[in-house]
Amino acid sequence: MADGPAGFGHVPVLLERCVALLTPALTRHHPDGSGAILVDATVGAGGHAERFLANLPGLRLIGLDRDPLALDITRTRLTRFADRVTLLRTRYDRIATALTETGCGATGSVDGVLFDLGVSSMQLDRLERGFSYAHDAPLDMRMDPDSPLTAADIVNNYDEAELADVLHRYGEERFARRIAAHIVRRRAVTPLTRTGELVDLLYQAIPAPARRTGGHPAKRTFQALRIAVNDELESLCRALPVALDALTVDGRVVVLAYQSLEDRIVKDVFRNAVASRTPAGLPVELPGHAPEFKSLTRGAERADRAETQRNPRSAGVRLRALQRVQPPQQARRHD
């Protein structure tokens, strides 16, 4: 996730493509977006949101984020649109509750949903948050500063097998067991409390030949800890079906994912959404079994060279988008 022009962070990733994909759904009722609702499920510093609100003076936007600092920045940034914006501090897997609280229904009530996943540029640049392995900071990594679990809690309290599982599952780290063993030995002497301490340990744990390829040796471990601290993948698994249910017919969803684990989840959910539920082998589509969605992208779209040069944080992005073409056959239960 990357946000905004100078003063608010970095330029939003694939902004023009997001606008092109979502605008047809947002202008179905009126060219200025009147009568349409866009849910920015990861509003961050408001870069994408600002463009949609400026382009469509009738659009209503509901922005969600778990980070209070992000919401403060967005509130300031979007002041001139305040009468059309509702900002809520919540995780994106609570979209249904957020819609209910804002007077919308949990099913078939919005015209567009945007997810810009991962850690934001603003969070990476706030060194005290501990997301970056390039600078020494507290081992925190919480997107919501009020969440109880920190990266320090994981590295100092999980047993060796649990640590290895986190690093392998969420970081796809092939040296997960070796790293976990080093962490356990180190913390028996003194707890790990700083990102710099963890980076030094990783240089010791990962063999020298492996450190010379595949990017920074701390990248996968830091990704794994961040995902575990913030429950990112499980939240995404819960959020996507709810977001699809929230769309009205002809409504659209766009998801920007930045690493393979996220994109795998999006790909699987979207594949199921566009599949027919008619049993294989039948010559005709059964009534009520047609696909509820169609894909708007062929596979995952990537940023072009010009964008990656302008904004290096867009290099890993994968964009997928769907459009609802049939009403939901059966509403899911939303907790």
Side-chain angles (χ1 to χ4, degrees), residues 299-335:
E301 296 184 359
R302 309 295 294 263
D304 61 21
R305 180 177 296 180
E307 176 152 3
T308 57
Q309 290 177 342
R310 183 174 64 253
N311 180 10
R313 287 175 178 167
S314 69
V317 71
R318 300 166 178 86
L319 180 151
R320 298 180 190 271
L322 296 182
Q323 178 177 345
R324 178 175 282 285
V325 294
Q326 297 286 343
Q329 298 301 318
Q330 183 176 359
R332 296 173 180 83
R333 178 180 176 182
H334 304 296
D335 297 324

PDB file of all heavy atoms in Angstrom, residues 299-335:
ATOM      1  N   GLY A 299      -5.969 -12.665 -15.217  1.00  0.00           N
ATOM      2  CA  GLY A 299      -4.932 -12.924 -14.236  1.00  0.00           C
ATOM      3  C   GLY A 299      -4.693 -11.693 -13.395  1.00  0.00           C
ATOM      4  O   GLY A 299      -5.590 -10.865 -13.180  1.00  0.00           O
ATOM      5  N   ALA A 300      -3.465 -11.551 -12.913  1.00  0.00           N
ATOM      6  CA  ALA A 300      -3.107 -10.398 -12.095  1.00  0.00           C
ATOM      7  C   ALA A 300      -2.373  -9.365 -12.945  1.00  0.00           C
ATOM      8  O   ALA A 300      -1.432  -9.697 -13.670  1.00  0.00           O
ATOM      9  CB  ALA A 300      -2.230 -10.835 -10.930  1.00  0.00           C
ATOM     10  N   GLU A 301      -2.814  -8.118 -12.873  1.00  0.00           N
ATOM     11  CA  GLU A 301      -2.140  -7.032 -13.578  1.00  0.00           C
ATOM     12  C   GLU A 301      -1.016  -6.472 -12.708  1.00  0.00           C
ATOM     13  O   GLU A 301      -1.121  -6.427 -11.483  1.00  0.00           O
ATOM     14  CB  GLU A 301      -3.132  -5.933 -13.938  1.00  0.00           C
ATOM     15  CG  GLU A 301      -4.212  -6.390 -14.907  1.00  0.00           C
ATOM     16  CD  GLU A 301      -5.143  -5.274 -15.338  1.00  0.00           C
ATOM     17  OE1 GLU A 301      -4.960  -4.123 -14.862  1.00  0.00           O
ATOM     18  OE2 GLU A 301      -6.036  -5.550 -16.152  1.00  0.00           O
ATOM     19  N   ARG A 302       0.052  -6.013 -13.369  1.00  0.00           N
ATOM     20  CA  ARG A 302       1.208  -5.482 -12.662  1.00  0.00           C
ATOM     21  C   ARG A 302       1.437  -4.027 -13.053  1.00  0.00           C
ATOM     22  O   ARG A 302       0.968  -3.562 -14.099  1.00  0.00           O
ATOM     23  CB  ARG A 302       2.461  -6.307 -12.993  1.00  0.00           C
ATOM     24  CG  ARG A 302       2.306  -7.817 -12.824  1.00  0.00           C
ATOM     25  CD  ARG A 302       2.057  -8.225 -11.393  1.00  0.00           C
ATOM     26  NE  ARG A 302       3.184  -7.951 -10.539  1.00  0.00           N
ATOM     27  CZ  ARG A 302       4.107  -8.849 -10.190  1.00  0.00           C
ATOM     28  NH1 ARG A 302       4.020 -10.093 -10.651  1.00  0.00           N
ATOM     29  NH2 ARG A 302       5.102  -8.532  -9.384  1.00  0.00           N
ATOM     30  N   ALA A 303       2.181  -3.314 -12.216  1.00  0.00           N
ATOM     31  CA  ALA A 303       2.585  -1.947 -12.557  1.00  0.00           C
ATOM     32  C   ALA A 303       3.590  -1.987 -13.702  1.00  0.00           C
ATOM     33  O   ALA A 303       4.421  -2.893 -13.782  1.00  0.00           O
ATOM     34  CB  ALA A 303       3.195  -1.270 -11.339  1.00  0.00           C
ATOM     35  N   ASP A 304       3.510  -0.995 -14.593  1.00  0.00           N
ATOM     36  CA  ASP A 304       4.459  -0.951 -15.699  1.00  0.00           C
ATOM     37  C   ASP A 304       5.780  -0.338 -15.242  1.00  0.00           C
ATOM     38  O   ASP A 304       5.929   0.118 -14.114  1.00  0.00           O
ATOM     39  CB  ASP A 304       3.872  -0.206 -16.901  1.00  0.00           C
ATOM     40  CG  ASP A 304       3.517   1.253 -16.598  1.00  0.00           C
ATOM     41  OD1 ASP A 304       4.069   1.827 -15.626  1.00  0.00           O
ATOM     42  OD2 ASP A 304       2.690   1.824 -17.322  1.00  0.00           O
ATOM     43  N   ARG A 305       6.743  -0.334 -16.154  1.00  0.00           N
ATOM     44  CA  ARG A 305       8.082   0.135 -15.795  1.00  0.00           C
ATOM     45  C   ARG A 305       8.074   1.596 -15.362  1.00  0.00           C
ATOM     46  O   ARG A 305       8.776   1.978 -14.411  1.00  0.00           O
ATOM     47  CB  ARG A 305       9.034  -0.044 -16.983  1.00  0.00           C
ATOM     48  CG  ARG A 305      10.453   0.425 -16.699  1.00  0.00           C
ATOM     49  CD  ARG A 305      11.377   0.153 -17.873  1.00  0.00           C
ATOM     50  NE  ARG A 305      11.508  -1.271 -18.119  1.00  0.00           N
ATOM     51  CZ  ARG A 305      12.270  -1.782 -19.096  1.00  0.00           C
ATOM     52  NH1 ARG A 305      12.946  -0.965 -19.907  1.00  0.00           N
ATOM     53  NH2 ARG A 305      12.346  -3.090 -19.261  1.00  0.00           N
ATOM     54  N   ALA A 306       7.277   2.419 -16.035  1.00  0.00           N
ATOM     55  CA  ALA A 306       7.240   3.842 -15.683  1.00  0.00           C
ATOM     56  C   ALA A 306       6.770   4.029 -14.245  1.00  0.00           C
ATOM     57  O   ALA A 306       7.326   4.847 -13.500  1.00  0.00           O
ATOM     58  CB  ALA A 306       6.326   4.594 -16.650  1.00  0.00           C
ATOM     59  N   GLU A 307       5.754   3.259 -13.843  1.00  0.00           N
ATOM     60  CA  GLU A 307       5.254   3.418 -12.477  1.00  0.00           C
ATOM     61  C   GLU A 307       6.235   2.882 -11.451  1.00  0.00           C
ATOM     62  O   GLU A 307       6.432   3.482 -10.398  1.00  0.00           O
ATOM     63  CB  GLU A 307       3.900   2.736 -12.312  1.00  0.00           C
ATOM     64  CG  GLU A 307       3.389   2.787 -10.876  1.00  0.00           C
ATOM     65  CD  GLU A 307       1.884   2.767 -10.742  1.00  0.00           C
ATOM     66  OE1 GLU A 307       1.199   2.654 -11.777  1.00  0.00           O
ATOM     67  OE2 GLU A 307       1.401   2.868  -9.608  1.00  0.00           O
ATOM     68  N   THR A 308       6.860   1.748 -11.736  1.00  0.00           N
ATOM     69  CA  THR A 308       7.802   1.193 -10.762  1.00  0.00           C
ATOM     70  C   THR A 308       9.028   2.079 -10.610  1.00  0.00           C
ATOM     71  O   THR A 308       9.619   2.165  -9.524  1.00  0.00           O
ATOM     72  CB  THR A 308       8.233  -0.230 -11.141  1.00  0.00           C
ATOM     73  OG1 THR A 308       8.807  -0.223 -12.448  1.00  0.00           O
ATOM     74  CG2 THR A 308       7.039  -1.169 -11.129  1.00  0.00           C
ATOM     75  N   GLN A 309       9.417   2.775 -11.676  1.00  0.00           N
ATOM     76  CA  GLN A 309      10.525   3.718 -11.563  1.00  0.00           C
ATOM     77  C   GLN A 309      10.118   4.937 -10.748  1.00  0.00           C
ATOM     78  O   GLN A 309      10.912   5.463  -9.963  1.00  0.00           O
ATOM     79  CB  GLN A 309      11.005   4.142 -12.948  1.00  0.00           C
ATOM     80  CG  GLN A 309      11.730   3.029 -13.711  1.00  0.00           C
ATOM     81  CD  GLN A 309      12.137   3.444 -15.102  1.00  0.00           C
ATOM     82  OE1 GLN A 309      11.632   4.420 -15.666  1.00  0.00           O
ATOM     83  NE2 GLN A 309      13.068   2.691 -15.694  1.00  0.00           N
ATOM     84  N   ARG A 310       8.882   5.385 -10.932  1.00  0.00           N
ATOM     85  CA  ARG A 310       8.383   6.543 -10.198  1.00  0.00           C
ATOM     86  C   ARG A 310       8.110   6.200  -8.739  1.00  0.00           C
ATOM     87  O   ARG A 310       8.321   7.008  -7.842  1.00  0.00           O
ATOM     88  CB  ARG A 310       7.108   7.057 -10.886  1.00  0.00           C
ATOM     89  CG  ARG A 310       6.511   8.309 -10.253  1.00  0.00           C
ATOM     90  CD  ARG A 310       5.349   8.833 -11.088  1.00  0.00           C
ATOM     91  NE  ARG A 310       4.228   7.916 -11.143  1.00  0.00           N
ATOM     92  CZ  ARG A 310       3.885   7.196 -12.195  1.00  0.00           C
ATOM     93  NH1 ARG A 310       4.593   7.255 -13.299  1.00  0.00           N
ATOM     94  NH2 ARG A 310       2.837   6.378 -12.165  1.00  0.00           N
ATOM     95  N   ASN A 311       7.637   4.980  -8.516  1.00  0.00           N
ATOM     96  CA  ASN A 311       7.249   4.554  -7.172  1.00  0.00           C
ATOM     97  C   ASN A 311       7.711   3.111  -6.974  1.00  0.00           C
ATOM     98  O   ASN A 311       6.985   2.170  -7.280  1.00  0.00           O
ATOM     99  CB  ASN A 311       5.727   4.659  -7.010  1.00  0.00           C
ATOM    100  CG  ASN A 311       5.263   4.223  -5.625  1.00  0.00           C
ATOM    101  OD1 ASN A 311       6.077   4.011  -4.720  1.00  0.00           O
ATOM    102  ND2 ASN A 311       3.960   4.092  -5.451  1.00  0.00           N
ATOM    103  N   PRO A 312       8.931   2.900  -6.455  1.00  0.00           N
ATOM    104  CA  PRO A 312       9.478   1.536  -6.321  1.00  0.00           C
ATOM    105  C   PRO A 312       8.586   0.596  -5.522  1.00  0.00           C
ATOM    106  O   PRO A 312       8.635  -0.618  -5.720  1.00  0.00           O
ATOM    107  CB  PRO A 312      10.817   1.778  -5.622  1.00  0.00           C
ATOM    108  CG  PRO A 312      11.198   3.177  -5.990  1.00  0.00           C
ATOM    109  CD  PRO A 312       9.897   3.924  -6.051  1.00  0.00           C
ATOM    110  N   ARG A 313       7.773   1.119  -4.627  1.00  0.00           N
ATOM    111  CA  ARG A 313       6.922   0.253  -3.810  1.00  0.00           C
ATOM    112  C   ARG A 313       5.782  -0.372  -4.610  1.00  0.00           C
ATOM    113  O   ARG A 313       5.050  -1.212  -4.105  1.00  0.00           O
ATOM    114  CB  ARG A 313       6.381   1.043  -2.615  1.00  0.00           C
ATOM    115  CG  ARG A 313       7.472   1.295  -1.574  1.00  0.00           C
ATOM    116  CD  ARG A 313       6.985   2.174  -0.451  1.00  0.00           C
ATOM    117  NE  ARG A 313       8.049   2.338   0.552  1.00  0.00           N
ATOM    118  CZ  ARG A 313       8.018   3.232   1.521  1.00  0.00           C
ATOM    119  NH1 ARG A 313       6.993   4.053   1.627  1.00  0.00           N
ATOM    120  NH2 ARG A 313       9.006   3.315   2.397  1.00  0.00           N
ATOM    121  N   SER A 314       5.626   0.035  -5.874  1.00  0.00           N
ATOM    122  CA  SER A 314       4.603  -0.584  -6.720  1.00  0.00           C
ATOM    123  C   SER A 314       5.122  -1.825  -7.435  1.00  0.00           C
ATOM    124  O   SER A 314       4.358  -2.513  -8.116  1.00  0.00           O
ATOM    125  CB  SER A 314       4.101   0.423  -7.762  1.00  0.00           C
ATOM    126  OG  SER A 314       5.114   0.715  -8.711  1.00  0.00           O
ATOM    127  N   ALA A 315       6.413  -2.136  -7.275  1.00  0.00           N
ATOM    128  CA  ALA A 315       7.012  -3.212  -8.063  1.00  0.00           C
ATOM    129  C   ALA A 315       6.357  -4.561  -7.822  1.00  0.00           C
ATOM    130  O   ALA A 315       6.245  -5.380  -8.736  1.00  0.00           O
ATOM    131  CB  ALA A 315       8.512  -3.294  -7.773  1.00  0.00           C
ATOM    132  N   GLY A 316       5.924  -4.837  -6.604  1.00  0.00           N
ATOM    133  CA  GLY A 316       5.369  -6.147  -6.300  1.00  0.00           C
ATOM    134  C   GLY A 316       3.863  -6.257  -6.417  1.00  0.00           C
ATOM    135  O   GLY A 316       3.298  -7.320  -6.149  1.00  0.00           O
ATOM    136  N   VAL A 317       3.188  -5.190  -6.827  1.00  0.00           N
ATOM    137  CA  VAL A 317       1.723  -5.190  -6.780  1.00  0.00           C
ATOM    138  C   VAL A 317       1.121  -6.155  -7.793  1.00  0.00           C
ATOM    139  O   VAL A 317       1.650  -6.353  -8.896  1.00  0.00           O
ATOM    140  CB  VAL A 317       1.171  -3.765  -6.999  1.00  0.00           C
ATOM    141  CG1 VAL A 317       1.360  -3.307  -8.441  1.00  0.00           C
ATOM    142  CG2 VAL A 317      -0.301  -3.682  -6.599  1.00  0.00           C
ATOM    143  N   ARG A 318       0.002  -6.767  -7.405  1.00  0.00           N
ATOM    144  CA  ARG A 318      -0.808  -7.604  -8.290  1.00  0.00           C
ATOM    145  C   ARG A 318      -2.257  -7.147  -8.136  1.00  0.00           C
ATOM    146  O   ARG A 318      -2.792  -7.162  -7.032  1.00  0.00           O
ATOM    147  CB  ARG A 318      -0.686  -9.078  -7.922  1.00  0.00           C
ATOM    148  CG  ARG A 318       0.731  -9.638  -7.998  1.00  0.00           C
ATOM    149  CD  ARG A 318       0.790 -10.980  -7.305  1.00  0.00           C
ATOM    150  NE  ARG A 318       2.092 -11.619  -7.366  1.00  0.00           N
ATOM    151  CZ  ARG A 318       3.082 -11.403  -6.508  1.00  0.00           C
ATOM    152  NH1 ARG A 318       2.936 -10.526  -5.525  1.00  0.00           N
ATOM    153  NH2 ARG A 318       4.226 -12.053  -6.620  1.00  0.00           N
ATOM    154  N   LEU A 319      -2.863  -6.723  -9.234  1.00  0.00           N
ATOM    155  CA  LEU A 319      -4.226  -6.187  -9.207  1.00  0.00           C
ATOM    156  C   LEU A 319      -5.178  -7.197  -9.828  1.00  0.00           C
ATOM    157  O   LEU A 319      -4.931  -7.717 -10.916  1.00  0.00           O
ATOM    158  CB  LEU A 319      -4.292  -4.861  -9.955  1.00  0.00           C
ATOM    159  CG  LEU A 319      -5.661  -4.167 -10.026  1.00  0.00           C
ATOM    160  CD1 LEU A 319      -5.465  -2.648 -10.119  1.00  0.00           C
ATOM    161  CD2 LEU A 319      -6.513  -4.641 -11.206  1.00  0.00           C
ATOM    162  N   ARG A 320      -6.292  -7.452  -9.128  1.00  0.00           N
ATOM    163  CA  ARG A 320      -7.381  -8.283  -9.647  1.00  0.00           C
ATOM    164  C   ARG A 320      -8.699  -7.552  -9.400  1.00  0.00           C
ATOM    165  O   ARG A 320      -8.844  -6.847  -8.401  1.00  0.00           O
ATOM    166  CB  ARG A 320      -7.395  -9.658  -8.976  1.00  0.00           C
ATOM    167  CG  ARG A 320      -6.126 -10.474  -9.214  1.00  0.00           C
ATOM    168  CD  ARG A 320      -6.195 -11.835  -8.526  1.00  0.00           C
ATOM    169  NE  ARG A 320      -4.917 -12.524  -8.558  1.00  0.00           N
ATOM    170  CZ  ARG A 320      -4.514 -13.345  -9.532  1.00  0.00           C
ATOM    171  NH1 ARG A 320      -5.329 -13.588 -10.554  1.00  0.00           N
ATOM    172  NH2 ARG A 320      -3.325 -13.926  -9.492  1.00  0.00           N
ATOM    173  N   ALA A 321      -9.662  -7.764 -10.305  1.00  0.00           N
ATOM    174  CA  ALA A 321     -10.942  -7.062 -10.191  1.00  0.00           C
ATOM    175  C   ALA A 321     -12.084  -7.930 -10.704  1.00  0.00           C
ATOM    176  O   ALA A 321     -11.917  -8.706 -11.639  1.00  0.00           O
ATOM    177  CB  ALA A 321     -10.898  -5.748 -10.975  1.00  0.00           C
ATOM    178  N   LEU A 322     -13.247  -7.776 -10.060  1.00  0.00           N
ATOM    179  CA  LEU A 322     -14.466  -8.487 -10.438  1.00  0.00           C
ATOM    180  C   LEU A 322     -15.625  -7.512 -10.543  1.00  0.00           C
ATOM    181  O   LEU A 322     -15.632  -6.442  -9.935  1.00  0.00           O
ATOM    182  CB  LEU A 322     -14.836  -9.538  -9.380  1.00  0.00           C
ATOM    183  CG  LEU A 322     -13.925 -10.723  -9.109  1.00  0.00           C
ATOM    184  CD1 LEU A 322     -14.566 -11.623  -8.061  1.00  0.00           C
ATOM    185  CD2 LEU A 322     -13.655 -11.490 -10.384  1.00  0.00           C
ATOM    186  N   GLN A 323     -16.646  -7.941 -11.299  1.00  0.00           N
ATOM    187  CA  GLN A 323     -17.921  -7.229 -11.365  1.00  0.00           C
ATOM    188  C   GLN A 323     -19.043  -8.209 -11.038  1.00  0.00           C
ATOM    189  O   GLN A 323     -19.075  -9.330 -11.563  1.00  0.00           O
ATOM    190  CB  GLN A 323     -18.148  -6.644 -12.754  1.00  0.00           C
ATOM    191  CG  GLN A 323     -19.490  -5.918 -12.893  1.00  0.00           C
ATOM    192  CD  GLN A 323     -19.647  -5.280 -14.257  1.00  0.00           C
ATOM    193  OE1 GLN A 323     -18.685  -5.129 -14.997  1.00  0.00           O
ATOM    194  NE2 GLN A 323     -20.874  -4.912 -14.597  1.00  0.00           N
ATOM    195  N   ARG A 324     -19.960  -7.782 -10.173  1.00  0.00           N
ATOM    196  CA  ARG A 324     -21.123  -8.626  -9.881  1.00  0.00           C
ATOM    197  C   ARG A 324     -22.092  -8.569 -11.054  1.00  0.00           C
ATOM    198  O   ARG A 324     -22.445  -7.481 -11.532  1.00  0.00           O
ATOM    199  CB  ARG A 324     -21.832  -8.160  -8.607  1.00  0.00           C
ATOM    200  CG  ARG A 324     -23.084  -8.984  -8.311  1.00  0.00           C
ATOM    201  CD  ARG A 324     -23.741  -8.626  -6.995  1.00  0.00           C
ATOM    202  NE  ARG A 324     -23.022  -9.209  -5.869  1.00  0.00           N
ATOM    203  CZ  ARG A 324     -23.061 -10.493  -5.527  1.00  0.00           C
ATOM    204  NH1 ARG A 324     -23.773 -11.355  -6.252  1.00  0.00           N
ATOM    205  NH2 ARG A 324     -22.407 -10.931  -4.484  1.00  0.00           N
ATOM    206  N   VAL A 325     -22.528  -9.741 -11.530  1.00  0.00           N
ATOM    207  CA  VAL A 325     -23.455  -9.812 -12.660  1.00  0.00           C
ATOM    208  C   VAL A 325     -24.778 -10.467 -12.286  1.00  0.00           C
ATOM    209  O   VAL A 325     -25.739 -10.407 -13.061  1.00  0.00           O
ATOM    210  CB  VAL A 325     -22.821 -10.571 -13.846  1.00  0.00           C
ATOM    211  CG1 VAL A 325     -21.644  -9.783 -14.416  1.00  0.00           C
ATOM    212  CG2 VAL A 325     -22.381 -11.976 -13.450  1.00  0.00           C
ATOM    213  N   GLN A 326     -24.848 -11.087 -11.121  1.00  0.00           N
ATOM    214  CA  GLN A 326     -26.081 -11.695 -10.629  1.00  0.00           C
ATOM    215  C   GLN A 326     -26.246 -11.340  -9.159  1.00  0.00           C
ATOM    216  O   GLN A 326     -25.260 -11.175  -8.442  1.00  0.00           O
ATOM    217  CB  GLN A 326     -26.023 -13.233 -10.750  1.00  0.00           C
ATOM    218  CG  GLN A 326     -25.898 -13.769 -12.154  1.00  0.00           C
ATOM    219  CD  GLN A 326     -27.191 -13.666 -12.937  1.00  0.00           C
ATOM    220  OE1 GLN A 326     -28.263 -13.489 -12.356  1.00  0.00           O
ATOM    221  NE2 GLN A 326     -27.101 -13.785 -14.254  1.00  0.00           N
ATOM    222  N   PRO A 327     -27.473 -11.212  -8.672  1.00  0.00           N
ATOM    223  CA  PRO A 327     -27.663 -10.969  -7.241  1.00  0.00           C
ATOM    224  C   PRO A 327     -27.216 -12.181  -6.436  1.00  0.00           C
ATOM    225  O   PRO A 327     -27.198 -13.305  -6.958  1.00  0.00           O
ATOM    226  CB  PRO A 327     -29.171 -10.732  -7.113  1.00  0.00           C
ATOM    227  CG  PRO A 327     -29.762 -11.406  -8.298  1.00  0.00           C
ATOM    228  CD  PRO A 327     -28.754 -11.288  -9.400  1.00  0.00           C
ATOM    229  N   PRO A 328     -26.852 -11.983  -5.171  1.00  0.00           N
ATOM    230  CA  PRO A 328     -26.438 -13.124  -4.341  1.00  0.00           C
ATOM    231  C   PRO A 328     -27.555 -14.151  -4.250  1.00  0.00           C
ATOM    232  O   PRO A 328     -28.731 -13.811  -4.070  1.00  0.00           O
ATOM    233  CB  PRO A 328     -26.155 -12.492  -2.967  1.00  0.00           C
ATOM    234  CG  PRO A 328     -25.967 -11.045  -3.232  1.00  0.00           C
ATOM    235  CD  PRO A 328     -26.810 -10.716  -4.423  1.00  0.00           C
ATOM    236  N   GLN A 329     -27.200 -15.424  -4.400  1.00  0.00           N
ATOM    237  CA  GLN A 329     -28.202 -16.483  -4.289  1.00  0.00           C
ATOM    238  C   GLN A 329     -28.586 -16.747  -2.856  1.00  0.00           C
ATOM    239  O   GLN A 329     -29.710 -17.095  -2.547  1.00  0.00           O
ATOM    240  CB  GLN A 329     -27.652 -17.774  -4.923  1.00  0.00           C
ATOM    241  CG  GLN A 329     -27.346 -17.633  -6.396  1.00  0.00           C
ATOM    242  CD  GLN A 329     -28.566 -17.229  -7.208  1.00  0.00           C
ATOM    243  OE1 GLN A 329     -29.665 -17.719  -7.000  1.00  0.00           O
ATOM    244  NE2 GLN A 329     -28.363 -16.300  -8.134  1.00  0.00           N
ATOM    245  N   GLN A 330     -27.619 -16.553  -1.971  1.00  0.00           N
ATOM    246  CA  GLN A 330     -27.891 -16.793  -0.552  1.00  0.00           C
ATOM    247  C   GLN A 330     -26.964 -15.923   0.268  1.00  0.00           C
ATOM    248  O   GLN A 330     -25.747 -16.015   0.131  1.00  0.00           O
ATOM    249  CB  GLN A 330     -27.654 -18.266  -0.180  1.00  0.00           C
ATOM    250  CG  GLN A 330     -27.994 -18.581   1.280  1.00  0.00           C
ATOM    251  CD  GLN A 330     -27.840 -20.055   1.568  1.00  0.00           C
ATOM    252  OE1 GLN A 330     -27.505 -20.850   0.707  1.00  0.00           O
ATOM    253  NE2 GLN A 330     -28.093 -20.438   2.804  1.00  0.00           N
ATOM    254  N   ALA A 331     -27.519 -15.056   1.077  1.00  0.00           N
ATOM    255  CA  ALA A 331     -26.707 -14.167   1.896  1.00  0.00           C
ATOM    256  C   ALA A 331     -25.933 -14.965   2.927  1.00  0.00           C
ATOM    257  O   ALA A 331     -26.435 -15.901   3.507  1.00  0.00           O
ATOM    258  CB  ALA A 331     -27.584 -13.125   2.614  1.00  0.00           C
ATOM    259  N   ARG A 332     -24.670 -14.590   3.098  1.00  0.00           N
ATOM    260  CA  ARG A 332     -23.875 -15.230   4.128  1.00  0.00           C
ATOM    261  C   ARG A 332     -24.193 -14.654   5.498  1.00  0.00           C
ATOM    262  O   ARG A 332     -24.736 -13.563   5.623  1.00  0.00           O
ATOM    263  CB  ARG A 332     -22.382 -15.019   3.833  1.00  0.00           C
ATOM    264  CG  ARG A 332     -21.924 -15.692   2.541  1.00  0.00           C
ATOM    265  CD  ARG A 332     -20.492 -15.303   2.244  1.00  0.00           C
ATOM    266  NE  ARG A 332     -20.016 -15.913   1.024  1.00  0.00           N
ATOM    267  CZ  ARG A 332     -20.242 -15.439  -0.182  1.00  0.00           C
ATOM    268  NH1 ARG A 332     -20.949 -14.341  -0.328  1.00  0.00           N
ATOM    269  NH2 ARG A 332     -19.788 -16.048  -1.242  1.00  0.00           N
ATOM    270  N   ARG A 333     -23.814 -15.378   6.500  1.00  0.00           N
ATOM    271  CA  ARG A 333     -23.989 -14.875   7.854  1.00  0.00           C
ATOM    272  C   ARG A 333     -22.813 -13.989   8.208  1.00  0.00           C
ATOM    273  O   ARG A 333     -21.658 -14.338   8.011  1.00  0.00           O
ATOM    274  CB  ARG A 333     -24.027 -16.042   8.848  1.00  0.00           C
ATOM    275  CG  ARG A 333     -24.166 -15.582  10.301  1.00  0.00           C
ATOM    276  CD  ARG A 333     -24.192 -16.776  11.222  1.00  0.00           C
ATOM    277  NE  ARG A 333     -24.219 -16.350  12.608  1.00  0.00           N
ATOM    278  CZ  ARG A 333     -24.208 -17.192  13.637  1.00  0.00           C
ATOM    279  NH1 ARG A 333     -24.185 -18.497  13.426  1.00  0.00           N
ATOM    280  NH2 ARG A 333     -24.216 -16.728  14.861  1.00  0.00           N
ATOM    281  N   HIS A 334     -23.081 -12.778   8.670  1.00  0.00           N
ATOM    282  CA  HIS A 334     -22.040 -11.814   9.014  1.00  0.00           C
ATOM    283  C   HIS A 334     -22.020 -11.635  10.518  1.00  0.00           C
ATOM    284  O   HIS A 334     -23.011 -11.232  11.115  1.00  0.00           O
ATOM    285  CB  HIS A 334     -22.315 -10.463   8.344  1.00  0.00           C
ATOM    286  CG  HIS A 334     -22.442 -10.564   6.847  1.00  0.00           C
ATOM    287  ND1 HIS A 334     -21.396 -10.946   6.047  1.00  0.00           N
ATOM    288  CD2 HIS A 334     -23.500 -10.357   6.024  1.00  0.00           C
ATOM    289  CE1 HIS A 334     -21.796 -10.951   4.778  1.00  0.00           C
ATOM    290  NE2 HIS A 334     -23.070 -10.603   4.743  1.00  0.00           N
ATOM    291  N   ASP A 335     -20.855 -11.904  11.108  1.00  0.00           N
ATOM    292  CA  ASP A 335     -20.719 -11.728  12.557  1.00  0.00           C
ATOM    293  C   ASP A 335     -20.274 -10.318  12.869  1.00  0.00           C
ATOM    294  O   ASP A 335     -19.552  -9.718  12.116  1.00  0.00           O
ATOM    295  CB  ASP A 335     -19.695 -12.738  13.093  1.00  0.00           C
ATOM    296  CG  ASP A 335     -20.168 -14.171  12.879  1.00  0.00           C
ATOM    297  OD1 ASP A 335     -21.378 -14.384  12.987  1.00  0.00           O
ATOM    298  OD2 ASP A 335     -19.327 -15.037  12.593  1.00  0.00           O
TER     299      ASP A 335
END
